[in-house]
Amino acid sequence: MKDTIDPAVIPTYDDVVAAHERIKPHIHRTPVLTSSYFNDLVGAELFFKCENFQKAGAFKVRGACNAVFGLSDALAERGVATHSSGNHALSLSYAAGRRGIPCNVVMPRTAPEAKKAAVRGYGGIITECEPSTTSREAVFAEVQERTGAEFVHPYNDPRVVAGQGTCSREFMEQTDGLDMMIAPIGGGGMISGCCLTLSNIAPEVQIIAAEPEQADDAYRSFKAGHIIADDAPVTIADGLKVPLKDLTWHFVSNHVSDILTASEQEIIDAMKLTWQRMKIVMEPSCAVPLATILKNKDKFAGKRVGVIVTGGNVDLDKLPWITG
Amino acid sequence: MKDTIDPAVIPTYDDVVAAHERIKPHIHRTPVLTSSYFNDLVGAELFFKCENFQKAGAFKVRGACNAVFGLSDALAERGVATHSSGNHALSLSYAAGRRGIPCNVVMPRTAPEAKKAAVRGYGGIITECEPSTTSREAVFAEVQERTGAEFVHPYNDPRVVAGQGTCSREFMEQTDGLDMMIAPIGGGGMISGCCLTLSNIAPEVQIIAAEPEQADDAYRSFKAGHIIADDAPVTIADGLKVPLKDLTWHFVSNHVSDILTASEQEIIDAMKLTWQRMKIVMEPSCAVPLATILKNKDKFAGKRVGVIVTGGNVDLDKLPWITG
């Protein structure tokens, strides 16, 4: 598993601690919920870290705030820019709004309307692209050229990874020890944050990533030992379509114990069951961990498992078990 | 406002404290969430006590557990029985299951399928009645005669009111002072619990009840100074169709500052907006307080307002903004 990244750009745990201080005024310390229903169903003790209750509706606000509030005044003046399948766009718009600087966002035209409206609600300026990595990167280059804004990548950015690392730091403070932590993997920002934090403060905790079968590039990368990137995978878990990059691959290849996958139907079933039993609105992407737990109960039986519920930004007029 | 109840059956704050000790092993201390979106929208500081995350999905488990776990072994042996529009049925089944005694439930045949399935899931035995108070009471009399079970009324029972009073007790511990507390009113169990607790530990907190316009019997009772009971009101807020009774009227008439009402569309809009912005699943009944806040912003402006989110048991296949 070769690692081609410059060690100087890899964030340290000190960066996580600094990020936490920097972003605390701008984020929620989200609650941890438990459900005896799911504990009985799985035969494990599950703890759900509810980042769907986070500011802007997702964990991504942690990394976005760390990047935005870490900028010098001179850099901040020109604003920030990014491309995102949704939640990073919301989060960066929110963070930029809190600092009073502009935020330019390139989003796929197919992104949920609810997400686009929310980006605009936070003051973000949207330029649309086609729903592929290639198109996104091309349109973005044009926008950045035009605005001169500071690029904050949704995940392949040390400031963002350090920010996401604050989530597992809080999670460990809120629970009395865990055997495993599981989170969805798309580009790998949240998982990388978990790896960074846990490898420093709780190296005994196994880190599991969960991915849609239909966008299983991280799974295949993990098995192959190098990054495999798909251009435009099709899955209901719209936050997980992007590929690993060198920084997140560094953390995934060094610290993740396993990557598990779930089918579209398994993701929808887990999503609906969570709404029904836990009374929380979670988006398809963040139902993937529970879907993989439910199909691999043996792996989790008897363990204390931290599940990161990554976001809750859903178009309530298009629920997959009603329209699908 | 005449009060015809025997003072000996009115629970005291000591009963609330005793109830809290008794039920603690069986309930969640539910979290309090805040939303800057709703704060900005209303111009107030809102605190949401999330009883939708409570065991069995609603605050009613507090009163049910207090009744069930307060029974002598001799009484408990014959089990408990009740009639309920839903959440009390779930809660009493849950409580009885925890104690290992039978629970007989009379439910309207029109109650949401999700609620009936959940009652059965907790081991409750259902007998159906017509969706009117008259039918419910007649069918119940037959069931109780047959089983000899201890009747636990959904709200007109001092054990139940004392149990519900534990919710506002927790709420005051979790917030740094409130100016007002608002909760939905149907039979008045939750509101009576608030009155009992707050009149003892925080008499400065105004207590507001919220009711559907289409089931506004408590509102009309409050204005008239005596109980007015409708037999079968029609509202989406299916938990709020039942009338006040003497015990809850005692608390409402003595301690409630105001009763506000909302239309069906206002309730649905508030429900959807909460799902969207707070990422929590709340049932129509518990969207009524927020609906009344949104239409009476002046009344709440600048105040610290505690909102009791009473329950989250919804049929996810029949959402009012999709099928309605």
Side-chain angles (χ1 to χ4, degrees):
Chain A
M1 303 207 194
K2 78 189 155 116
D3 209 352
T4 58
I5 194 164
D6 174 2
V9 306
I10 300 173
T12 65
Y13 184 62
D14 286 347
D15 295 324
V16 176
V17 175
H20 218 166
E21 284 309 305
R22 185 178 289 132
I23 70 180
K24 261 180 189 163
H26 310 291
I27 65 163
H28 285 304
R29 185 180 168 93
T30 55
V32 172
L33 298 182
T34 58
S35 158
S36 52
Y37 173 80
F38 281 117
N39 286 352
D40 292 347
L41 193 61
V42 179
E45 269 190 282
L46 305 183
F47 301 86
F48 296 87
K49 173 73 170 159
C50 288
E51 291 288 298
N52 51 336
F53 300 155
Q54 189 48 271
K55 292 282 182 187
F59 76 88
K60 296 223 173 187
V61 83
R62 296 174 181 269
C65 282
N66 190 41
V68 164
F69 285 93
L71 289 177
S72 68
D73 288 345
L75 271 177
E77 204 168 84
R78 282 177 291 169
V80 287
T82 197
H83 48 73
S84 162
S85 58
N87 284 333
H88 177 66
L90 285 188
S91 298
L92 197 66
S93 301
Y94 165 84
R98 296 277 288 204
R99 187 153 180 190
I101 63 176
C103 178
N104 274 277
V105 177
V106 174
M107 283 179 86
R109 61 172 172 73
T110 51
E113 273 310 318
K115 288 189 179 177
K116 290 184 196 166
V119 166
R120 292 190 191 102
Y122 287 124
I125 305 149
I126 297 174
T127 308
E128 293 193 348
C129 67
E130 292 307 302
S132 73
T133 302
T134 312
S135 166
R136 180 162 34 212
E137 291 182 352
V139 173
F140 180 75
E142 183 276 316
V143 170
Q144 203 192 2
E145 172 75 24
R146 176 161 47 79
T147 59
E150 172 75 6
F151 177 34
V152 183
H153 191 280
Y155 52 90
N156 202 51
D157 184 309
R159 301 166 297 184
V160 171
V161 168
Q164 318 309 29
T166 62
C167 179
S168 42
R169 185 171 189 243
E170 273 176 28
F171 205 173
M172 293 309 293
E173 288 168 4
Q174 291 170 304
T175 48
D176 196 22
L178 294 173
D179 299 310
M180 299 165 131
M181 194 176 288
I182 183 166
I185 190 162
M190 169 49 78
I191 280 287
S192 294
C194 292
C195 290
L196 172 53
T197 293
L198 297 178
S199 66
N200 278 277
I201 66 169
E204 71 285 3
V205 180
Q206 279 197 345
I207 301 165
I208 316 280
E211 196 175 33
E213 267 173 28
Q214 290 189 193
D216 69 342
D217 52 287
Y219 172 81
R220 284 179 290 125
S221 304
F222 190 70
K223 296 294 172 196
H226 59 86
I227 298 177
I228 297 172
D230 292 335
D231 196 48
V234 176
T235 171
I236 187 173
D238 60 282
L240 306 181
K241 294 177 176 183
V242 290
L244 294 170
K245 296 274 186 183
D246 58 355
L247 180 59
T248 53
W249 172 246
H250 162 78
F251 286 105
V252 169
S253 61
N254 283 292
H255 298 293
V256 166
S257 296
D258 206 353
I259 300 187
L260 304 173
T261 62
S263 71
E264 298 294 291
Q265 191 59 51
E266 288 161 349
I267 295 167
I268 294 169
D269 291 348
M271 178 182 169
K272 186 178 179 188
L273 197 59
T274 315
W275 289 40
Q276 211 163 45
R277 302 303 305 218
M278 293 189 65
K279 320 300 179 189
I280 61 176
V281 171
M282 56 157 64
E283 55 188 68
S285 299
C286 78
V288 181
L290 190 64
T292 66
I293 290 172
L294 293 175
K295 72 186 285 194
N296 295 282
K297 288 178 191 164
D298 286 355
K299 192 177 175 71
F300 298 92
K303 307 283 189 194
R304 290 169 61 84
V305 184
V307 182
I308 300 183
V309 178
T310 45
N313 293 320
V314 179
D315 188 343
L316 291 174
D317 295 317
K318 288 184 188 165
L319 296 175
W321 56 83
I322 296 183
T323 59
Chain B
M1 304 208 195
K2 81 191 153 110
D3 209 354
T4 57
I5 195 165
D6 174 2
V9 306
I10 299 173
T12 66
Y13 184 62
D14 285 346
D15 294 323
V16 175
V17 175
H20 219 166
E21 283 309 304
R22 186 177 288 131
I23 70 180
K24 262 181 189 162
H26 310 292
I27 66 164
H28 285 304
R29 183 178 169 94
T30 55
V32 172
L33 297 183
T34 58
S35 158
S36 52
Y37 173 80
F38 280 118
N39 286 351
D40 292 347
L41 193 62
V42 179
E45 270 189 281
L46 306 182
F47 301 86
F48 296 86
K49 173 74 170 158
C50 289
E51 291 288 299
N52 51 336
F53 300 156
Q54 191 48 272
K55 293 281 182 187
F59 76 87
K60 297 224 172 187
V61 82
R62 296 174 182 269
C65 281
N66 190 41
V68 164
F69 285 92
L71 290 177
S72 68
D73 288 346
L75 271 176
E77 202 169 84
R78 281 175 291 168
V80 287
T82 197
H83 48 74
S84 162
S85 59
N87 283 333
H88 177 64
L90 285 188
S91 298
L92 197 67
S93 301
Y94 165 83
R98 295 277 289 204
R99 189 156 178 186
I101 63 176
C103 177
N104 274 276
V105 177
V106 173
M107 282 179 87
R109 62 174 170 73
T110 53
E113 273 310 317
K115 288 190 178 177
K116 290 184 195 166
V119 166
R120 291 190 191 102
Y122 287 124
I125 305 148
I126 297 174
T127 307
E128 293 192 346
C129 67
E130 292 306 303
S132 72
T133 302
T134 312
S135 167
R136 180 163 33 213
E137 292 183 351
V139 173
F140 180 75
E142 182 277 317
V143 169
Q144 203 193 4
E145 172 76 25
R146 178 162 44 80
T147 60
E150 173 74 7
F151 176 35
V152 182
H153 190 280
Y155 52 90
N156 201 52
D157 182 312
R159 302 167 295 185
V160 171
V161 168
Q164 317 309 29
T166 62
C167 179
S168 42
R169 185 172 188 242
E170 275 177 24
F171 205 173
M172 293 309 294
E173 289 167 4
Q174 291 169 305
T175 49
D176 196 24
L178 293 173
D179 299 310
M180 299 166 132
M181 195 176 288
I182 183 167
I185 190 163
M190 169 50 79
I191 280 287
S192 295
C194 291
C195 292
L196 172 54
T197 293
L198 296 178
S199 65
N200 278 276
I201 66 169
E204 71 285 4
V205 180
Q206 279 197 345
I207 301 165
I208 315 281
E211 196 175 33
E213 267 172 29
Q214 291 190 191
D216 68 344
D217 52 287
Y219 172 81
R220 286 179 288 128
S221 303
F222 190 70
K223 296 294 173 195
H226 59 85
I227 298 177
I228 298 172
D230 292 334
D231 196 45
V234 175
T235 171
I236 188 175
D238 59 281
L240 306 180
K241 294 177 176 182
V242 291
L244 295 168
K245 295 275 186 182
D246 57 356
L247 179 60
T248 54
W249 172 246
H250 162 77
F251 286 105
V252 169
S253 60
N254 283 292
H255 299 291
V256 166
S257 297
D258 206 354
I259 300 187
L260 304 173
T261 62
S263 71
E264 297 295 293
Q265 192 59 49
E266 289 161 347
I267 296 167
I268 293 169
D269 290 348
M271 178 182 170
K272 186 177 179 188
L273 197 59
T274 314
W275 288 41
Q276 212 161 44
R277 302 302 305 218
M278 294 189 62
K279 321 300 180 187
I280 61 176
V281 171
M282 55 158 63
E283 54 188 70
S285 299
C286 77
V288 181
L290 190 63
T292 66
I293 291 172
L294 293 176
K295 72 185 283 194
N296 296 280
K297 288 178 191 166
D298 286 355
K299 192 177 175 72
F300 298 93
K303 308 283 190 192
R304 291 170 59 86
V305 184
V307 182
I308 300 183
V309 178
T310 46
N313 292 318
V314 180
D315 188 342
L316 291 175
D317 295 316
K318 288 185 188 163
L319 296 175
W321 56 83
I322 296 182
T323 59

